[in-house]
């Protein structure tokens, strides 16, 4: 039973792979005060980590989106809808949450299959 940690640090790893499944939480790198832009940024980070893990967005099994402001739900959905693989969308839920970095408007946690 192998566990692979991508870019591990003392407090967390960038991602973890176990049994051909990757676990990852994405935060935006573009911190403009706009949920659409931040969602696009977080989704781009997901694409990058999935590529590193020999996977892609059609292999995402589950996504949880954490949104600070309920009023940003339409903007977040717009970015998601532009990005998600049509007909291959994962199970998804959105939760309103107070995030730990005040600049963050969105975080996205995913679980995805990787190619063996």
């Amino acid at each position: 039973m192998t566990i692979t940690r991508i870019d591990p640090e003392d407090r967390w790893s960038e991602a973890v792979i176990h049994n051909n499944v990757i676990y990852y939480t994405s935060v935006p790198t573009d911190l403009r005060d706009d949920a659409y832009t931040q969602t696009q940024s977080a989704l781009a980070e997901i694409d990058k980590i999935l590529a590193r893990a020999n996977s892609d967005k059609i292999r995402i099994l589950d996504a949880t989106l954490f949104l600070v402001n309920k009023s940003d739900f339409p903007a977040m959905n717009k970015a998601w809808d532009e990005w998600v693989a049509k007909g291959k969308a994962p199970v998804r839920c959105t939760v309103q949450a107070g995030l730990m970095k005040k600049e963050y408007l969105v975080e996205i946690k995913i679980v995805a299959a990787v190619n063996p």
Side-chain angles (χ1 to χ4, degrees):
M1 175 164 52
T2 302
I3 298 173
T4 302
R5 298 178 195 286
I6 298 174
D7 299 339
E9 296 184 13
D10 290 342
R11 187 168 285 167
W12 68 74
S13 295
E14 186 68 16
V16 175
I17 301 171
H18 178 257
N19 285 339
N20 293 323
V21 175
I22 183 170
Y23 302 84
Y24 175 64
T25 300
S26 180
V27 295
T29 55
D30 185 335
L31 295 177
R32 283 182 268 177
D33 189 26
D34 172 59
Y36 174 76
T37 301
Q38 285 199 20
T39 303
Q40 285 182 312
S41 177
L43 294 169
E45 296 304 311
I46 290 171
D47 285 334
K48 289 178 192 174
I49 201 74
L50 289 175
R52 286 180 66 189
N54 195 27
S55 188
D56 57 55
K57 64 185 165 188
I58 69 167
R59 291 178 170 76
I60 297 174
L61 307 169
D62 182 54
T64 303
L65 292 89
F66 300 91
L67 195 59
V68 172
N69 303 308
K70 286 172 74 171
S71 61
D72 287 335
F73 190 63
M76 182 268 312
N77 270 332
K78 182 177 188 290
W80 175 270
D81 290 345
E82 292 170 357
W83 174 84
V84 73
K86 306 301 181 254
K88 298 187 190 284
V91 170
R92 189 193 103 164
C93 73
T94 304
V95 178
Q96 184 178 15
L99 302 178
M100 299 313 293
K101 189 169 184 176
K102 67 178 182 158
E103 294 86 3
Y104 290 161
L105 300 176
V106 64
E107 286 187 23
I108 304 170
K109 183 170 183 52
I110 62 144
V111 177
V114 297
N115 290 321

